[in-house]
Amino acid sequence: MEQALMREASLAPGVRMLPTYVGSTPHGNEQGNFVVLELGASGASLRILWVTLTGIKGQRVEPKSQEFVIPQEVVQGTGQQLFDFAARCLVEFLDAHSVGNQGLQLGFSFSFPCHQTGLDRSTLISWTKGFRCSGVEGQDVVQLLRDAIQRQGAYSIDVVAVVNDTVGTMMDCEPGVGPCEIGLVVDTGTNACYMEEARHVAVLDEDRGRTCVSIEWGSFSDDKALGPVLTAFDHALDQASLNPGAQRFEKMIGGLYLGELVRLVLVHLAQNRVLFGGYTSPALLSQGSILLEHVTEMEDPSTGVVCVHTVLQDLGLNPEASDAELVQRVCVAVCSRAAQLCAAALAAVLSHLQRSREQQTLQVAVATGGRVLERHPRFHSILQETVKLLASECDVSFIPSVDGGGRGVAMVTAVAARLAKHRRLLEETLAPFRLSREQLEAVQTQMREAMAKGLQREPSSLRMLPTYVRATPDGSERGDFLALDLGGTNFRVLLVRVAEGGVQIINQVYSIPECVAQGSGQQLFDHIVDCIVDFQQKQGLRGQSLPLGFTFSFPCKQLGLDQGILLNWTKGFNASGCEGQDVVHLLREAIRRRQAVELNVVAIVNDTVGTMMSCGYEDPRCEMGLIVGTGTNACYMEELRNVAGVAGDSGHMCINMEWGAFGDDGSLGMLSTCFDVRVDQASINPGKQRFEKMISGMYLGEIVRHILLHLTSLGVLFRGQQTQRLQTRDIFKTKFLSEIESDSLALRQVRAILEDLGLPLTSDDALIVLEVCQAVSRRAAQLCGAGVAAVVEKIRENRGLEELTVSVGVDGTLYKVHPHFASLVAATVRELAPRCVVTFLQSEDGSGKGAALVTAVACRLAQMARV
Ligand code: G6P
Ligand code: BGC
Ligand code: BGC
């Protein structure tokens, strides 16, 4: 067992330890009507039940049921014959019980070793017992049943769950001295299931909770353990069976084999003249002539002797009185061994549980089912006694199942039906986030139109602001510069040395408290100057008036390189008295107020521009800048002739698109989900930056949080229980998306991240949260890609090129940290702009370096003008 759980390769094919995807024993509140189809538990018959679960503990409604005998030619015919037979029986049953045809949900009890990959996906590994239908091994039996039901065409039935008979038995059971966590079946075949610690099951990526494992102990065949036990009769039986070499353990215990073992012993004794005066009969010599029923009857303490005579006479034998006693002793020996072996196996399960749960005394209930356990006069008591002997440290109560586990199957079905409904609701919720190619093309087209209008100064949600940056650096720039970098996660002051060998940067990060970012403009700029003074002191730069470039990552209308009027704050900033003002002027005022420093502000630069310049210093093909961080935006080199309002017709100018505001005229309405609306409404700038709010880091976590709230209200997450934590704004940071979506992360780590947030969830919940994160970040990356595609296509068309090769400088935490964002952007661009070969360069030094380079270029040009 332990080797199989850990998937350690063992030489002997042992027990299989198959996960069943049943994660908990019943809650007792499951309810509804379910059809249960049982195949394989009781020989060549099939049982159909109509089970009603009331949802109230202890309140049972008697199920309706009907048994159908499967003809021998079907049991060993083709799979299609078998499943068609089952589907016909279903129709007959449903017709007879007039249960209607509305939303029938079926649980399939299929008692053969199967590889399950979900509650409704199960591949038959191999037939056992008397079954051998062709074309089923290796196939998903749920699908085969669905197909057969569809071929009948009479009812629409949803096959929701598939379970082993042991699982149905366990799930049906009320707790005894302890919880019922083991299901044991001894019928035609034998097997057990139990609740295992999920962390012990290597194939499951889980470290908490329990999961039901079907042991499939029938295939136990360890030589060392079984060798001394196997007799010549066992070998003979195995050789003549349908599956020689397989299910060796089962062949000593299962009801299909007990009668046959008795028969082989009787033949042996007769042939050695110990029985029947040395005579046999043709019937005694034919395989299968003694059945479990015969053995059970013959062992009956009160009527057994009479039965022995009848059975033997029916076999054409003429027993004497001493024969009858011997035959009974044979039956006792065969069945006692079976019960004792079964007990040994069960004791192994119990002591494994006791040890792995580190309990002094394990208190547990075992649900039992199957005809051998139910009908054989002593099997049950021998089992109990032997278990007591072998697992004395466990306090075990045996609880016989009431109706063969049918209700248990219905309970699993109820859980599976609930999960399937949840999946549907999840899909419906996430559908608007899954954008089609057509939708992305529409975004690209709209973006192109808005760009053209913005450039021409016609009404457009894209402002297309001229930056007065006309060229990327040519490498001849030199000198020391100061730079400020305001508007992303960090506020930075930098000293940038542009020298022959390259660029050297010393920088320091300062915090901008929210109260300052949202206080008065004067406070904000005073704080900035204080930081500069501090930096100058630390770097020994006091008294020097170095040229300064100011990366200011907000929409500004520039009238020149050193003049930028703040149009409106974005992201988390809202300092009063700044909108409509020249930011350079506000900075100079603050410098004047402080009288502490002398600064020569040369240029104001958007972060997109800074990033483009910084990457352009390394790669002259870099003609676009892209930011996907707290906010999002792009800039690119446009032909001057296309830019209204700036003098000159030749050459280029970098345009700050301010694409975060794309769609603020309502044009993105179709794409906007109710969650986007909620995030927008709760922001400090409702109705503004609608594109940004679907893409950037400041908002994705919030979108996810709103979806999670919605799914909780639908009962899909957290068992429908709203937590206070999740109601808290900004509790779900965008960095969690990056962490949760990281490929290297196991689901259990996802859960740990969320538990740190105070969200106690199951692994089903964790999977749902992961899917939500993926849907939200994927849409963001695709929208961003559609924007980039619009821009590079415009550059290509501007230049009348068949094909454009261009680089894009990129910065921003989301783009850099998220595990899939960058590749999704690139893939979208390849799809939507197939004639552009686009290389994405990640900026390493932030846009402060770019601001210094813009300043350097300006200084160089100014110097040239003076000369
Ligand atoms: C750049 C700049 C920041 C800019 C940021 C965007 O490198 O130096 O000023 O705004 O990246 O990223 P973030 O994730 O910090 O918003
Ligand atoms: C099957 C098991 C089943 C058991 C009892 C065995 O032959 O492989 O899946 O639980 O019989 O029906
Ligand atoms: C601002 C842009 C900036 C972008 C990225 C947006 O909110 O409006 O100016 O480039 O964020 O930081």
Side-chain angles (χ1 to χ4, degrees):
M1 281 171 62
E2 282 161 8
Q3 280 173 356
L5 281 176
M6 297 327 286
R7 302 214 114 188
E8 283 165 9
S10 66
L11 293 175
V15 295
R16 295 189 195 266
M17 307 306 279
L18 303 165
T20 65
Y21 290 83
V22 169
S24 59
T25 47
H27 295 192
N29 55 0
E30 293 78 7
Q31 56 176 314
N33 292 311
F34 301 92
V35 188
V36 172
L37 170 69
E38 287 178 359
L39 177 66
S42 293
S45 75
L46 180 153
R47 203 163 71 117
I48 298 173
L49 299 94
W50 177 259
V51 183
T52 302
L53 300 180
T54 59
I56 303 165
K57 265 200 180 109
Q59 202 177 85
R60 281 182 179 246
V61 175
E62 206 44 46
K64 301 169 184 168
S65 75
Q66 194 175 340
E67 197 153 336
F68 300 83
V69 174
I70 313 173
Q72 198 52 31
E73 68 270 18
V74 172
V75 173
Q76 288 176 31
T78 68
Q80 181 156 343
Q81 277 175 307
L82 176 70
F83 284 93
D84 280 345
F85 177 79
R88 274 201 305 279
C89 295
L90 262 176
V91 173
E92 195 184 315
F93 176 87
L94 295 171
D95 283 349
H97 292 88
S98 343
V99 291
N101 194 7
Q102 283 300 305
L104 292 173
Q105 294 178 319
L106 182 142
F108 185 18
S109 172
F110 184 74
S111 302
F112 300 95
C114 287
H115 262 305
Q116 269 189 257
T117 49
L119 271 172
D120 67 342
R121 284 188 305 271
S122 190
T123 307
L124 174 65
I125 300 171
S126 60
W127 288 115
T128 57
K129 303 173 274 195
F131 281 77
R132 198 167 62 178
C133 302
S134 58
V136 185
E137 289 176 353
Q139 301 293 310
D140 178 4
V141 292
V142 174
Q143 198 50 48
L144 294 177
L145 180 61
R146 283 183 182 141
D147 293 346
I149 293 172
Q150 204 158 21
R151 279 196 293 277
Q152 290 298 317
Y155 287 89
S156 115
I157 303 172
D158 199 1
V159 184
V160 198
V162 60
V163 293
N164 186 265
D165 51 357
T166 54
V167 181
T169 301
M170 183 184 78
M171 295 293 280
D172 186 23
C173 173
E174 306 280 344
V177 287
C180 178
E181 297 193 300
I182 302 180
L184 165 69
V185 170
V186 189
D187 203 300
T188 321
T190 183
N191 186 17
C193 72
Y194 72 103
M195 297 304 290
E196 176 59 274
E197 309 298 307
R199 64 175 189 278
H200 294 162
V201 188
V203 282
L204 297 179
D205 177 24
E206 244 322 325
D207 73 340
R208 251 172 273 186
R210 290 180 182 161
T211 187
C212 177
V213 172
S214 167
I215 302 175
E216 284 297 339
W217 69 26
S219 57
F220 180 57
S221 59
D222 181 86
D223 270 352
K224 221 166 97 201
L226 287 191
V229 183
L230 288 166
T231 64
F233 307 109
D234 294 306
H235 291 302
L237 177 140
D238 178 50
Q239 281 311 308
S241 68
L242 280 179
N243 50 351
Q247 302 291 110
R248 296 303 303 264
F249 193 59
E250 174 164 274
K251 285 172 183 164
M252 291 191 270
I253 300 174
L256 183 62
Y257 308 101
L258 295 182
E260 185 62 7
L261 282 173
V262 168
R263 187 188 70 81
L264 292 170
V265 179
L266 297 187
V267 171
H268 173 78
L269 292 176
Q271 286 170 345
N272 286 284
R273 300 177 182 279
V274 180
L275 269 179
F276 317 132
Y279 288 102
T280 58
S281 67
L284 182 65
L285 292 175
S286 21
Q287 189 189 18
S289 58
I290 299 182
L291 301 175
L292 172 67
E293 291 84 85
H294 302 135
V295 178
T296 313
E297 286 167 9
M298 291 192 283
E299 275 196 66
D300 189 292
S302 52
T303 57
V305 183
V306 185
C307 289
V308 176
H309 280 280
T310 333
V311 170
L312 296 176
Q313 274 158 6
D314 286 352
L315 287 171
L317 295 161
N318 223 342
E320 293 168 14
S322 62
D323 287 342
E325 200 204 316
L326 273 180
V327 170
Q328 266 192 325
R329 279 171 61 187
V330 170
C331 293
V332 168
V334 167
C335 294
S336 302
R337 183 188 67 158
Q340 289 173 328
L341 286 174
C342 186
L346 187 58
V349 179
L350 289 165
S351 60
H352 166 77
L353 279 184
Q354 190 242 346
R355 265 183 296 133
S356 69
R357 294 186 186 172
E358 295 168 359
Q359 285 172 1
Q360 274 270 303
T361 326
L362 176 76
Q363 292 198 316
V364 75
V366 179
T368 61
R371 283 170 313 160
V372 174
L373 274 166
E374 284 159 10
R375 301 192 192 156
H376 189 277
R378 290 171 312 106
F379 197 98
H380 206 284
S381 53
I382 298 173
L383 175 80
Q384 264 180 295
E385 281 159 26
T386 317
V387 166
K388 212 181 256 171
L389 201 70
L390 297 179
S392 51
E393 66 285 13
C394 302
D395 183 0
V396 189
S397 52
F398 290 83
I399 302 181
S401 81
V402 181
D403 54 25
R407 246 170 57 90
V409 179
M411 284 187 197
V412 179
T413 311
V415 173
R418 194 186 66 220
L419 292 178
K421 182 175 142 212
H422 287 176
R423 175 126 298 274
R424 233 177 4 255
L425 289 169
L426 176 67
E427 276 315 313
E428 273 166 32
T429 305
L430 296 183
F433 288 88
R434 310 208 196 276
L435 302 182
S436 65
R437 183 177 172 135
E438 289 69 38
Q439 284 173 305
L440 290 172
E441 276 169 354
V443 171
Q444 181 184 13
T445 311
Q446 278 176 28
M447 176 84 82
R448 274 299 292 274
E449 285 165 12
M451 284 169 76
K453 286 190 184 148
L455 286 171
Q456 287 315 305
R457 300 215 164 165
E458 290 167 22
S460 165
S461 62
L462 289 185
R463 293 201 183 98
M464 307 301 284
L465 303 165
T467 65
Y468 293 85
V469 169
R470 296 165 195 268
T472 44
D474 68 1
S476 65
E477 299 75 14
R478 295 286 177 272
D480 285 1
F481 306 90
L482 269 183
L484 303 179
D485 189 353
L486 177 74
T489 316
N490 298 312
F491 168 55
R492 265 176 276 188
V493 185
L494 309 88
L495 173 64
V496 182
R497 295 221 145 104
V498 187
E500 190 104 35
V503 180
Q504 267 185 356
I505 299 172
I506 297 168
N507 81 85
Q508 184 159 353
V509 173
Y510 293 89
S511 75
I512 304 232
E514 191 179 85
C515 60
V516 174
Q518 296 182 10
S520 75
Q522 191 164 333
Q523 254 180 312
L524 173 63
F525 282 91
D526 283 351
H527 176 73
I528 292 173
V529 172
D530 288 345
C531 298
I532 302 172
V533 171
D534 178 77
F535 182 78
Q536 284 191 320
Q537 256 164 7
K538 286 189 177 139
Q539 300 303 326
L541 297 170
R542 291 210 61 174
Q544 289 187 40
S545 157
L546 296 176
L548 181 140
F550 186 6
T551 300
F552 184 73
S553 308
F554 301 94
C556 286
K557 181 176 161 65
Q558 286 189 244
L559 303 169
L561 206 52
D562 65 347
Q563 218 178 351
I565 295 177
L566 174 64
L567 294 171
N568 55 272
W569 287 115
T570 59
K571 301 176 274 196
F573 282 75
N574 201 14
S576 61
C578 301
E579 290 180 356
Q581 304 292 313
D582 174 9
V583 179
V584 178
H585 176 70
L586 292 176
L587 181 62
R588 283 181 183 142
E589 287 280 284
I591 293 169
R592 196 180 45 74
R593 272 196 300 279
R594 280 295 192 253
Q595 290 189 334
V597 275
E598 256 186 62
L599 290 174
N600 168 20
V601 185
V602 176
I604 177 166
V605 178
N606 187 267
D607 52 356
T608 53
V609 182
T611 300
M612 181 186 78
M613 294 295 275
S614 167
C615 293
Y617 190 72
E618 317 292 336
D619 175 359
R621 281 182 198 261
C622 183
E623 295 191 88
M624 179 173 178
L626 169 67
I627 299 283
V628 195
T630 317
T632 182
N633 189 16
C635 71
Y636 70 103
M637 296 306 286
E638 178 58 273
E639 312 294 314
L640 200 51
R641 64 183 139 85
N642 292 339
V643 187
V646 179
D649 254 350
S650 66
H652 299 100
M653 180 165 287
C654 177
I655 299 295
N656 168 12
M657 293 175 67
E658 283 299 333
W659 82 10
F662 179 50
D664 286 1
D665 54 0
S667 56
L668 279 178
M670 286 131 42
L671 293 187
S672 166
T673 67
C674 59
F675 308 107
D676 296 303
V677 173
R678 279 175 219 169
V679 170
D680 177 49
Q681 287 303 317
S683 68
I684 55 171
N685 51 352
K688 302 272 167 57
Q689 303 290 105
R690 299 303 297 269
F691 195 55
E692 174 162 278
K693 285 173 184 163
M694 291 177 160
I695 295 177
S696 75
M698 182 145 177
Y699 307 99
L700 295 195
E702 272 297 278
I703 300 178
V704 168
R705 187 179 69 86
H706 279 286
I707 300 176
L708 299 187
L709 281 175
H710 173 71
L711 291 172
T712 311
S713 75
L714 293 177
V716 174
L717 265 181
F718 310 129
R719 299 202 171 158
Q721 275 160 14
Q722 297 285 3
T723 62
Q724 201 53 44
R725 297 286 284 174
L726 204 56
Q727 314 265 3
T728 320
R729 214 177 119 184
D730 289 330
I731 186 93
F732 202 98
K733 303 274 178 251
T734 297
K735 72 168 192 211
F736 295 143
L737 274 82
S738 298
E739 289 173 14
I740 286 173
E741 289 184 60
S742 152
D743 290 333
S744 60
L745 215 63
L747 212 53
R748 56 167 165 255
Q749 288 161 295
V750 171
R751 228 168 60 175
I753 293 173
L754 295 160
E755 276 171 1
D756 275 354
L757 274 182
L759 303 176
L761 29 67
T762 63
S763 34
D764 289 335
D765 287 340
L767 202 61
I768 292 173
V769 174
L770 171 65
E771 281 185 53
V772 171
C773 291
Q774 283 168 336
V776 170
S777 60
R778 188 181 176 84
R779 181 186 69 158
Q782 288 179 324
L783 288 173
C784 180
V788 174
V791 175
V792 291
E793 268 296 290
K794 176 140 195 356
I795 301 178
R796 186 185 66 78
E797 284 174 27
N798 279 344
R799 311 215 175 135
L801 293 172
E802 260 313 298
E803 189 171 278
L804 171 76
T805 303
V806 70
S807 299
V808 180
V810 200
D811 208 340
T813 317
L814 180 58
Y815 185 94
K816 285 176 160 175
V817 171
H818 189 280
H820 307 299
F821 202 95
S823 57
L824 273 167
V825 171
T828 311
V829 174
R830 275 197 300 276
E831 280 256 309
L832 301 182
R835 293 205 265 170
C836 300
V837 180
V838 183
T839 307
F840 292 87
L841 307 169
Q842 284 195 24
S843 156
E844 297 305 330
D845 312 295
S847 36
K849 172 180 163 188
L853 289 168
V854 172
T855 308
V857 174
C859 291
R860 176 169 52 96
L861 294 180
Q863 214 164 28
M864 273 164 57
R866 274 201 297 280
V867 174

